[in-house]
Amino acid sequence: MVNIEIDGKKIHAREGSMVIEAADDAGINIPRFCYHKKLSIAANCRMCLVEVEKAAKPLPACATPVTDGMKVFTRSAKAVAAQKGVMEFLLINHPLDCPICDQGGECELQDVALTYGSDVSKYSESKRVLPSKDFGPLIGGDMTRCIHCTRCVRFGIEIAGVYELGTIGRGEHMEIGTFVQHSLSSELSGNIIDLCPVGALTSKPFRYVARAWELVQRDSVAPHDCVGSNIHVHVKGDRVVRVVPRENEEINETWLSDRDRFSYEGLNSADRVQVPMIKVEGEWQETDWETALHRAVDGLKQVGSDDIGALASPLSTLEELYLLQKLMREIGCGNIDHRLKQTDFSDQQEAPAFPWLGQAIGDLEGNDAVLLIGADLCKDQPIIGHRLRKAALSGGRISSVNPADFSYHFPRLASRVASNMLAELVAIAQALLDETGKAAPEEFATLSKAVEVTDAQKQIAESLLKGQSSSVLMGEAAINDAQFSAIRSIATLIAELSDSRPGYLPAGGNGAGAWQAGALPHRKAGGRPASVNGKNVAQMLQSEMKAYLLLNTEPEVDCADTDAARKAMQKAQFVVSLSPYASEAVMAYADVILPVSPFTETSGTFVNVEGRWQSFEGVVPPLGESRPAWKVLRVLGNLFNCDGFDFVESSEVLAEISTAAGDMGRDNSISWRCPASLGSASEYRAAADYAGDGIVRRAESLQAVAQSRV
Amino acid sequence: MVAEMKATKSDLISAECKAEIDEWVAKYPLDQKQSAVMAALRILQDDNGGYLTTELMDAVADYLEMTPMAVYEVATFYSMYELSPVGRHKICVCTNISCMLCGSDEVVAHLRKRLGIGLGETTEDGRITLKEVECLGACVDAPMCQIGRQYHLKLTPEKIDEILDQLD
C-alpha cells in the first residue's frame, strides 16, 4: 500500500494501481471516457487529465500509477483547464443531435460536458459526418457520434474474444467499424451498448422507445441459463422496455449475454394470453378464473391420477416447481419432470442431489485445467464461457470433447469432436490410469479394451493431472446425450483419477432449483426419495398419458423428442397449459389455458448452478388477467382439497422449501457404475440459436439474429 | 500418403510472394509471425499492380494467422497502402510544412494542369495517379515528390515536365 493525497484527501492506495482507481475507491470523481475498470488502459481520450505535484504537464489519471507521497489535484486550475480543453476537442466533431439521440439523458458525454465543458462552442467549421453502420438486429451504429474511445474495440478483443470491431483509418479519418459489413457475431455483443459513452452504439430494439428519465429501474434475475445473471429491468408504465446488467462481481460481473439482455421482447409478444380460456366442444372461449380452474380440476379428476403427466420448464421458479410437484404428489401422481431435453435417465437414482458446477462461478477463472464435455458455451452459457476464457488467457489449459465442432472464444489444448463422446472419455480415463498407475475400477478394463489411447487423449489426461485446480464439466449436450449415465460415470471417474472437480451446466435458469424443489419423478423436495417412482419425461410422452399438466412448457418444441411430444399432446384426452403463451400448436391440443406470469410479473426464486438462491420480486403487474403460477397452483391445490396449500405470500412457499431443501449438500460424487458397453455413435442435432425457451423464441430481435446465422 | 489439402484464403498468394513474405517472417520470433504484416501487405500490393483488395488482406491474415480485422487496421492506417486501383505511376506530392513553404502549392497546381486530374485521382488512361502525402523526410530538398521508389527533389515546373516526359 502507498499513501497518496487526492484533492487534499489522504488515501491508502494499492501499489501498482492507477490514480483513477484510487480516486474511484475514495469516491472522488474524475471524468473519463476511454477508461473502464474491466478493460485494458488505452489513455486515448485524455479526459481524465489531472495535476500531479512536481509533474510538468497534466497526467492522465487512468494511466498514472500511484507512488508514495504523490499529491494529485483533480480540480486545480491546471487540471480544470486541461479537462476543459479536452472536452472542447471532443465536442468539435460531435453532433448536437441530443434531442433525437437515444443516449440523451443517460449519456456520459452529456454529463461530462455539462460539468467540464463550455456552454458555447468556439468551433464554427463543418463537422465530420459518417454514415450509420449496420451491426445487425441488436445494435444501432450512429458513428457520427463516436468519440473514438475504443471501449467497444477493446471489449471485443479482450472480453468477448471476437476481434470484429476495429479502428479503420487514422487521424481525422478514423472510424470504428467492421470494415467488411456484417452483423456482430459475439453472444455478448450487447455489452458494447453499455460501454459506449455516447450514442454511437445503442440498443436497436429500444430505439425511440423511451427516455431514460421515464424509466423505473427494478432488480431481477435472468432466467435463460444456469448462471442466473443479475439484471436491472427498465419499466415504462407497466411494460418492460429494456434489460441491462446489474453488477455482481461473483456472477456476471458487469456483463450480460445477448439472450438475457434482449429476451424481454418476448414478454410483450402478441402470443401472450391475457384471459383464462377453455375449449368447449372444440371452440375456444374466454372465461373467468373460477370457471377455468374448475374446468381444469374436473378434467384432471376424470382421469386416474396415474394417468396424469406434469411437465415443467426449468425456467419456472423454485416456488412454482415446488407447488407443482406437491400438488401432483398430493393427488397421488408421481409423474412429474423438468428434464425436458434429457433422454437417458437410467442412473437417476444415483444422481447427485442437484446438478452443481462443483465450484463458485468466480472460481472458474482460477482453473488451470478444464475438460469440457458436450458444452456449447457460446450458445448455452456465455458468461461461463467468459469466465473460462479468463482461465485460458491466464494459462489454464482447456480441452473439449464435443459431439460437434462447437466454437469457443479461447484457445484450447485439445478439441475432440466425437460422435461417441463416451468412447473418447473412456480413452482419457484409460490414459489417466496409465499415467497414475492407479487400479482401474471394477469392470473398467473390459470397457477400455476396445479403445486406443491417442496422444491428444494423453495430453488431456496429463493437463488434468498437472493442474493444481482442475474441473471436468458436463454441458447440455452431455446431459442430453443418449448415453448420459455412462458419460457421467466416466466423467466422474476422470475427475476422481485426476483430483478434479466434476461439475454440471444444466439447462434453464432454474435447472438446479428444479432438483431441489423435487420436480422429478423419483425425488421429492430436498432430494428425498419419492414414495412412488413416477414416469420421467420420455416415459410420459411415450406411454401417451390421458392428461397432461404443462407448466411454462410447449412440449412440441421444448422436449427432446418433439414428434413424440406433439403426438402425445394431440392424443391426450385432457391438457391443461399453465403458460404465458398460447401458440397455434397449444391451441390445437390444449383444453384449458391458464395464463400465468413470466418471471417479470411474479415474485420467485431461481437457484443457479452454484446452488445460490436468488429471490426476486415481480417488476411489473401481471398482464391482463394472467396471474403468478404459484398462486394458480395454490388454488388448484385448494380445489383438489389438498392439505398445505394455504399460502398467502410466495415467501411462505419459499420458507417451506427452505425447510425441505435448505441443507442440501453440494456433492457431485457418485458411486461407480461401469457402463455396460461403449454404446454407439449418435448423430448430434444442434438446436437452432435462441430457441431454448418460450420467452426467447418470441423475442423478435434475437430471432432476427438467429435467422441471419442460418 | 499425401494429405488432401484444404482450400484456404492464403492460396491467393503466389509461391514467389510467399517466399518473399517468409523471408520477413524469419526475421521475427517464431510466435510473432504477425510482425511481418506490413512487409506482406507491401509485397502483395506491388504484386497486385499497386493496390490491395479485401481478399488479399484476408489472405495475409490467414497466412500470418492474424484476425482479418487486425490486418484491415494496419492497411487503413498507413497511407502507403492503396485500397482501390491506382495508375501505373503513383505521384506522391508532399504538401507538409517544409514543402509548402518552399512552394508545393505550385507543384500541385502544375501537376494538376499537366495531368488534368485532381489530388487522389487517376488519369483516364490509367497511367498516373496523383496523391497528396505528408512529410517524406526530404525537407532539405523541398519541394519534393515520390514516384515509385524514386524521390524527386527541388521540384520546379520545368523539372516536373522533364520527369513526366520520361514516364512510360
Side-chain angles (χ1 to χ4, degrees):
Chain A
M1 296 299 265
V2 294
N3 294 308
I4 66 164
E5 211 181 285
I6 304 181
D7 294 345
K9 193 173 173 183
K10 290 192 167 44
I11 293 165
H12 288 292
R14 190 171 43 80
E15 217 167 330
S17 65
M18 299 296 160
V19 171
I20 205 167
E21 293 173 72
D24 281 351
D25 289 346
I28 298 167
N29 182 49
I30 297 176
R32 84 285 308 268
F33 294 113
C34 72
Y35 173 78
H36 189 276
K37 62 180 177 182
K38 291 281 178 186
L39 302 175
S40 66
I41 291 165
N44 59 9
C45 77
R46 316 309 282 182
M47 193 60 226
C48 66
L49 289 175
V50 291
E51 182 182 354
V52 177
E53 192 188 50
K54 289 180 195 143
K57 294 195 281 183
L59 299 175
C62 71
T64 305
V66 292
T67 52
D68 206 33
M70 184 184 241
K71 279 188 182 162
V72 179
F73 307 95
T74 71
R75 302 299 294 146
S76 66
K78 196 172 173 183
V80 168
Q83 291 156 359
K84 207 165 173 178
V86 169
M87 194 70 239
E88 189 175 358
F89 271 98
L90 284 172
L91 290 177
I92 278 181
N93 277 318
H94 193 79
L96 265 175
D97 65 344
C98 304
I100 57 149
C101 174
D102 255 357
Q103 192 88 347
E106 51 180 4
C107 175
E108 291 174 54
L109 190 69
Q110 266 186 338
D111 295 347
V112 176
L114 184 71
T115 321
Y116 299 88
S118 296
D119 42 3
V120 178
S121 172
K122 289 185 275 184
Y123 185 78
S124 57
E125 290 80 2
S126 59
K127 284 175 185 256
R128 198 177 95 113
V129 174
L130 283 177
S132 296
K133 286 185 180 154
D134 184 4
F135 294 133
L138 304 179
I139 295 159
D142 297 295
M143 304 319 284
T144 298
R145 297 177 186 143
C146 176
I147 57 166
H148 306 146
C149 70
T150 70
R151 275 186 190 172
C152 55
V153 176
R154 282 175 284 146
F155 174 82
I157 299 171
E158 294 160 17
I159 307 294
V162 192
Y163 195 170
E164 50 187 351
L165 281 173
T167 50
I168 309 295
R170 73 175 183 193
E172 168 78 1
H173 305 289
M174 180 174 143
E175 288 175 28
I176 301 290
T178 52
F179 192 71
V180 179
Q181 196 272 316
H182 65 84
S183 295
L184 299 185
S185 68
S186 166
E187 65 290 339
L188 293 169
S189 69
N191 290 296
I192 63 175
I193 298 167
D194 301 335
L195 288 172
C196 185
V198 297
L201 302 172
T202 50
S203 165
K204 248 188 202 173
F206 181 66
R207 174 152 288 198
Y208 306 141
V209 170
R211 280 301 188 185
W213 56 84
E214 297 173 303
L215 303 175
V216 179
Q217 173 167 291
R218 300 203 170 100
D219 295 351
S220 193
V221 178
H224 305 293
D225 62 38
C226 63
V227 174
S229 290
N230 290 191
I231 54 174
H232 283 307
V233 181
H234 290 170
V235 176
K236 184 184 179 187
D238 285 340
R239 195 178 164 92
V240 173
V241 293
R242 185 164 68 174
V243 168
V244 295
R246 173 158 57 96
E247 188 169 347
N248 186 334
E249 200 52 33
E250 291 169 356
I251 301 178
N252 50 308
E253 304 171 69
T254 54
W255 314 124
L256 194 60
S257 66
D258 286 356
R259 183 173 51 193
D260 287 342
R261 182 186 298 267
F262 294 106
S263 69
Y264 73 86
E265 282 189 295
L267 301 170
N268 306 322
S269 148
D271 265 3
R272 286 289 302 269
V273 201
Q274 305 203 24
V275 186
M277 291 167 76
I278 53 172
K279 206 186 254 171
V280 182
E281 290 163 5
E283 292 290 320
W284 278 103
Q285 284 179 5
E286 294 188 349
T287 182
D288 54 74
W289 272 102
E290 204 180 335
T291 315
L293 285 165
H294 276 106
R295 181 73 207 288
V297 171
D298 290 347
L300 292 174
K301 274 183 176 166
Q302 274 177 19
V303 298
S305 56
D306 268 352
D307 287 324
I308 306 174
L311 300 176
S313 158
L315 189 84
S316 313
T317 66
L318 192 63
E319 291 82 349
E320 291 162 4
L321 291 163
Y322 175 78
L323 287 181
L324 178 66
Q325 64 86 32
K326 183 170 177 176
L327 172 70
M328 296 309 286
R329 295 204 156 102
E330 285 289 330
I331 62 173
C333 168
N335 310 325
I336 171 166
D337 210 341
H338 75 280
R339 300 164 296 177
L340 303 176
K341 290 217 159 61
Q342 197 168 320
T343 48
D344 177 9
F345 304 89
S346 55
D347 70 341
Q348 63 177 13
Q349 298 294 351
E350 288 84 32
F354 71 94
W356 177 46
L357 186 60
Q359 59 211 301
I361 289 173
D363 292 343
L364 284 173
E365 291 174 24
N367 278 283
D368 45 19
V370 178
L371 172 60
L372 293 168
I373 304 167
D376 193 355
L377 298 178
C378 290
K379 214 177 203 175
D380 297 336
Q381 297 93 8
I383 295 291
I384 300 285
H386 164 59
R387 293 280 190 176
L388 286 177
R389 180 176 144 77
K390 285 206 230 177
L393 293 185
S394 58
R397 296 195 290 171
I398 302 181
S399 312
S400 60
V401 172
N402 289 325
D405 192 9
F406 298 152
S407 63
Y408 293 89
H409 299 314
F410 47 79
R412 275 160 301 157
L413 174 72
S415 156
R416 309 287 296 170
V417 177
S419 51
N420 185 351
M421 288 193 283
L422 181 59
E424 192 71 28
L425 295 175
V426 168
I428 295 169
Q430 184 57 49
L432 280 166
L433 288 169
D434 295 345
E435 193 78 17
T436 55
K438 286 184 187 164
E442 227 174 299
E443 293 170 61
F444 181 77
T446 39
L447 195 66
S448 66
K449 256 195 316 208
V451 300
E452 210 174 301
V453 181
T454 65
D455 284 347
Q457 290 144 354
K458 274 185 204 156
Q459 231 182 346
I460 296 173
E462 222 170 274
S463 73
L464 290 173
L465 276 176
K466 277 196 189 143
Q468 296 293 310
S469 169
S470 51
S471 303
V472 176
L473 302 178
M474 286 164 269
E476 288 179 35
I479 295 170
N480 299 333
D481 193 276
Q483 312 193 73
F484 170 49
S485 58
I487 288 176
R488 189 213 301 270
S489 283
I490 304 299
T492 311
L493 174 66
I494 290 173
E496 259 170 45
L497 290 172
S498 62
D499 200 16
S500 307
R501 290 172 291 250
Y504 298 88
L505 295 164
N510 206 18
W515 280 77
Q516 300 193 346
L520 294 160
H522 65 294
R523 285 188 192 160
K524 296 195 285 189
R528 284 166 298 127
S531 35
V532 216
N533 247 344
K535 292 188 168 82
N536 62 45
V537 55
Q539 290 164 337
M540 279 188 249
L541 297 178
Q542 287 305 331
S543 59
E544 292 175 354
M545 323 284 296
K546 284 187 184 149
Y548 290 96
L549 184 56
L550 310 175
L551 177 60
N552 292 321
T553 306
E554 294 160 277
E556 70 284 358
V557 270
D558 280 329
C559 291
D561 190 345
T562 49
D563 292 339
R566 184 174 290 113
K567 227 193 271 163
M569 292 305 131
Q570 282 163 354
K571 273 200 173 169
Q573 180 185 320
F574 193 68
V575 178
V576 181
S577 170
L578 277 75
S579 166
Y581 305 107
S583 64
E584 258 175 54
V586 176
M587 300 286 271
Y589 61 65
D591 296 278
V592 179
I593 297 177
L594 304 175
V596 297
S597 306
F599 74 106
T600 43
E601 297 167 21
T602 176
S603 53
T605 305
F606 291 141
V607 182
N608 81 353
V609 73
E610 309 167 286
R612 184 195 296 254
W613 289 36
Q614 300 194 96
S615 293
F616 51 88
E617 295 294 319
V619 296
V620 286
L623 183 72
E625 289 291 303
S626 68
R627 289 291 174 265
W630 72 267
K631 286 188 182 174
V632 176
L633 288 162
R634 181 201 64 193
V635 178
L636 282 175
N638 297 146
L639 293 177
F640 272 108
N641 291 320
C642 301
D643 286 336
F645 277 83
D646 303 316
F647 306 99
V648 180
E649 301 280 342
S650 71
S651 57
E652 295 165 25
V653 186
L654 186 63
E656 191 170 309
I657 311 169
S658 300
T659 317
D663 57 349
M664 276 173 95
R666 293 171 195 186
D667 182 6
N668 280 340
S669 60
I670 50 165
S671 48
W672 168 249
R673 256 178 31 143
C674 191
S677 73
L678 284 178
S680 54
S682 55
E683 197 195 340
Y684 177 70
R685 278 178 303 155
D689 283 2
Y690 299 127
D693 60 67
I695 300 176
V696 166
R697 283 195 295 268
R698 290 174 175 86
E700 280 176 25
S701 303
L702 289 176
Q703 290 312 311
V705 174
Q707 281 297 319
S708 71
R709 286 182 188 164
V710 171
Chain B
M1 202 175 83
V2 182
E4 203 179 316
M5 295 288 282
K6 229 173 111 188
T8 60
K9 287 184 171 174
S10 60
D11 292 348
L12 207 61
I13 307 175
S14 69
E16 295 78 42
C17 288
K18 274 185 183 164
E20 214 178 322
I21 295 170
D22 289 344
E23 280 176 34
W24 284 90
V25 171
K27 293 177 204 249
Y28 303 105
L30 277 177
D31 59 339
Q32 288 170 34
K33 268 176 127 175
Q34 74 269 21
S35 302
V37 63
M38 293 186 66
L41 288 172
R42 177 181 52 73
I43 290 163
L44 292 184
Q45 171 162 300
D46 288 349
D47 187 58
N48 189 49
Y51 75 105
L52 290 165
T53 60
T54 305
E55 290 72 28
L56 282 173
M57 290 188 272
D58 289 345
V60 169
D62 185 35
Y63 195 63
L64 299 179
E65 290 162 30
M66 298 170 71
T67 312
M69 193 63 228
V71 178
Y72 305 151
E73 287 187 321
V74 172
T76 57
F77 184 86
Y78 293 101
S79 56
M80 294 80 94
Y81 297 119
E82 301 296 335
L83 301 180
S84 49
V86 290
R88 207 155 62 243
H89 303 287
K90 187 167 79 179
I91 304 181
C92 301
V93 189
C94 172
T95 57
N96 214 303
I97 186 111
S98 304
C99 286
M100 188 196 77
L101 290 172
C102 294
S104 64
D105 285 356
E106 284 159 44
V107 174
V108 171
H110 186 73
L111 280 165
R112 290 175 68 140
K113 205 172 121 201
R114 254 300 296 263
L115 299 171
I117 52 172
L119 291 170
E121 291 175 4
T122 304
T123 53
E124 258 176 45
D125 57 4
R127 210 172 129 246
I128 295 175
T129 298
L130 188 57
K131 194 176 174 186
E132 180 183 35
V133 299
E134 304 304 334
C135 185
L136 290 172
C139 307
V140 71
D141 292 318
M144 62 81 68
C145 74
Q146 180 186 11
I147 304 175
R149 299 271 162 90
Q150 190 79 40
Y151 274 18
H152 298 275
L153 309 165
K154 292 185 174 157
L155 295 176
T156 58
E158 297 73 41
K159 202 164 175 189
I160 291 168
D161 287 340
E162 206 178 299
I163 295 165
L164 289 181
D165 292 342
Q166 278 167 18
L167 292 180
D168 59 272

